[in-house]
Amino acid sequence: MISRAVVTDRSVQPGKHCPDTRPTHLPAPAAEQRARQDVQERLAYRFPDLPSETPATTATEAFAFFVDAHVRHYVPVLTFKRAAGQLSERLATPDERGD
């Protein structure tokens, strides 16, 4: 039988996570600021036809949606998905939206 243990320097029991892969504390403010900037840049790259302030505003609104999230580690990923979905919806033609 193949073990699901993660191979590291430390001893890890089969089926357990490596202690290094779990978020253990809140991200530093500088890390959150870098994540915000990264999300805005990725949105601007994905939606080049929009004015630059539109993806930035949408990203800010999406980050505000997750302001009370207990697990902060995944907020940038969830924010990007939420903002990209909103921008895609805005750009969809009325036929694509079902109007």
Side-chain angles (χ1 to χ4, degrees):
M1 181 174 180
I2 298 174
S3 173
R4 292 185 178 191
V6 178
V7 179
T8 63
D9 293 349
R10 303 176 190 152
S11 64
V12 178
Q13 295 182 10
K16 300 293 183 183
H17 290 282
C18 172
D20 297 337
T21 62
R22 288 178 276 153
T24 58
H25 58 284
L26 293 175
E32 286 218 2
Q33 185 58 36
R34 282 191 309 271
R36 287 176 183 271
Q37 185 65 33
D38 180 57
V39 168
Q40 289 178 4
E41 289 173 3
R42 289 173 51 208
L43 288 171
Y45 180 79
R46 185 165 177 183
F47 300 96
D49 296 336
L50 293 175
S52 61
E53 50 282 338
T54 302
T57 302
T58 306
T60 301
E61 292 168 358
F63 270 105
F65 182 82
F66 295 106
V67 74
D68 292 329
H70 294 287
V71 180
R72 306 293 307 162
H73 188 75
Y74 303 104
V75 168
V77 172
L78 297 172
T79 298
F80 178 78
K81 289 182 70 77
R82 182 179 179 84
Q86 290 174 342
L87 292 172
S88 293
E89 204 172 276
R90 287 183 196 171
L91 292 175
T93 62
D95 292 335
E96 292 172 340
R97 288 191 304 241
D99 294 342

